[in-house]
Amino acid sequence: RSRILVSIGESFGTSEKFQKINQMVGSSDRPLKRSAEVSTTPKPLKRL
Amino acid sequence: KYQGLEKEIHDLQVAEQQLDDLIQMCTVQLKLLTEDPENQQYPYVTCQDLRSIADPSEQMVMLIKAPPETQLQVSDPAEAFQVSLKSTQGPIDVFLCPED
Amino acid sequence: AQECQNLEIEKQRRLERIKQKRAQLQELLLQQIAFKNLVQRNQQNEQQNQSPPALNATIQLPFLIVNTSKRTVIDCSISSDKFEYLFNFDNTFEIHDDIEVLKRMGMSFGLEAGKCSAEDLRTAKSLVPKALEGYVTDMSTGLSWLNQGLLLNSA
């Protein structure tokens, strides 16, 4: 099954991998435990 | 047409080499920046910075400070929303960004 | 004709590689600008406040953030030496690295979105070597590919 492994702890260079992870997690059709609640998915970070 | 294409490919070769040199230069500069003793004290963000991009009334922000080469693994979301961290060079610190 | 076709394929392959390398270079420039801008901002703040912020109110780079809804329940297992963590969320989450946080904070002057004021562009260009200022200008106008042709001609 697809899982993603990233080496972290250094500055710079991992942004792309996290975009992939966030897409994978955000697009999963896994039934959310409390899907009844409104807006359970995290709101994207703001851009100042 | 053949000669025109040959000339274009030569130009592209030169352009690509230029880019390789600039990428190499920038990578070295970035590394020197992050390792510069002068800079050790100043590259930080404040909790206020984090609250400015993630609304604390709706978002929970967890901070992870890990040593180099720590492995972060995200499982297949169809199985679980699971994140594992495994360090070999030291302890990992995890904080919750306080609301106030 | 066959040789022309081969050269045409070679040309497209090179153009694609150049496109990727320009994007990689622009990302490196964004990181350099964001990092330097953050350092300058913190230095100025500390001079104004005549003291550094409280230690527990700052997070040194590098770091990661995981953000999720406030209502998410997170089960967390930690090894006794803190070398291993396991988090189980009951809702989706997002992971971002420090550079993404700096960009969201505006430390890269919105260059990644091709939106940058003239004033900010001047500041951003002052943070990179002269030879690279053209790339910063390209990013600020979001015309990086239009100028691709100019780059080739100059080459």
Side-chain angles (χ1 to χ4, degrees), chain C residues 14-28:
Chain C
R14 280 193 182 275
L15 278 172
E16 186 51 36
R17 273 212 305 271
I18 284 175
K19 184 176 171 184
Q20 284 163 12
K21 288 181 178 178
R22 268 181 83 87
Q24 184 185 354
L25 179 60
Q26 287 180 342
E27 178 60 23
L28 285 168

Side-chain angles (χ1 to χ4, degrees), chain A residues 7 20-21 34:
Chain A
S7 180
K20 211 178 289 179
I21 287 173
R34 294 184 289 169

Side-chain angles (χ1 to χ4, degrees), chain C:
Chain C
Q2 179 60 44
E3 284 175 11
C4 273
Q5 196 181 353
N6 293 345
L7 282 187
E8 194 58 56
I9 292 168
E10 170 65 12
K11 175 184 157 186
Q12 292 313 318
R13 206 179 298 137
R14 280 193 182 275
L15 278 172
E16 186 51 36
R17 273 212 305 271
I18 284 175
K19 184 176 171 184
Q20 284 163 12
K21 288 181 178 178
R22 268 181 83 87
Q24 184 185 354
L25 179 60
Q26 287 180 342
E27 178 60 23
L28 285 168
L29 284 172
L30 280 177
Q31 294 176 7
Q32 192 173 134
I33 289 167
F35 187 91
K36 286 183 176 177
N37 193 15
L38 176 75
V39 167
Q40 280 183 9
R41 181 205 71 167
N42 290 341
Q43 283 171 334
Q44 285 158 15
N45 286 350
E46 290 194 19
Q47 272 160 22
Q48 275 165 21
N49 306 334
Q50 263 102 44
S51 70
L55 259 189
N56 65 353
T58 62
I59 303 98
Q60 289 287 120
L61 270 62
F63 62 83
L64 292 185
I65 68 167
V66 180
N67 77 296
T68 182
S69 159
K70 225 168 134 60
R71 282 179 286 277
T72 298
V73 174
I74 307 174
D75 297 324
C76 176
S77 317
I78 312 175
S79 65
S80 54
D81 60 4
K82 290 177 51 176
F83 275 50
E84 292 190 42
Y85 284 71
L86 182 64
F87 298 102
N88 272 296
F89 297 76
D90 72 347
N91 279 322
T92 56
F93 56 84
E94 285 186 344
I95 303 179
H96 297 283
D97 65 359
D98 40 19
I99 275 300
E100 185 61 26
V101 170
L102 296 191
K103 288 178 188 173
R104 304 276 173 147
M105 286 165 54
M107 286 291 136
S108 51
F109 302 110
L111 283 165
E112 67 280 359
K115 297 178 190 117
C116 178
S117 68
E119 174 65 26
D120 283 346
L121 176 57
R122 258 194 301 279
T123 309
K125 284 164 73 171
S126 69
L127 297 175
V128 301
K130 212 133 191 66
L132 293 159
E133 286 183 5
Y135 288 89
V136 178
T137 308
D138 279 359
M139 278 194 272
S140 70
T141 53
L143 292 178
S144 52
W145 299 117
L146 192 70
N147 296 30
Q148 172 65 37
L150 299 182
L151 172 90
L152 292 187
N153 294 342
S154 65

Side-chain angles (χ1 to χ4, degrees), chain A residues 8, chain B residues 44-51 53 60-66 72 85 92-98, chain C residues 56-68 74 85 87 89 94-98 101:
Chain A
I8 61 173
Chain B
Y44 60 77
V45 298
T46 64
C47 292
Q48 205 174 335
D49 290 325
L50 293 178
R51 283 195 293 275
I53 60 170
M60 183 189 337
V61 175
M62 190 159 69
L63 276 147
I64 299 172
K65 281 285 295 171
L72 174 141
L85 299 171
I92 301 166
D93 287 318
V94 176
F95 316 93
L96 276 186
C97 182
Chain C
N56 65 353
T58 62
I59 303 98
Q60 289 287 120
L61 270 62
F63 62 83
L64 292 185
I65 68 167
V66 180
N67 77 296
T68 182
I74 307 174
Y85 284 71
F87 298 102
F89 297 76
E94 285 186 344
I95 303 179
H96 297 283
D97 65 359
D98 40 19
V101 170

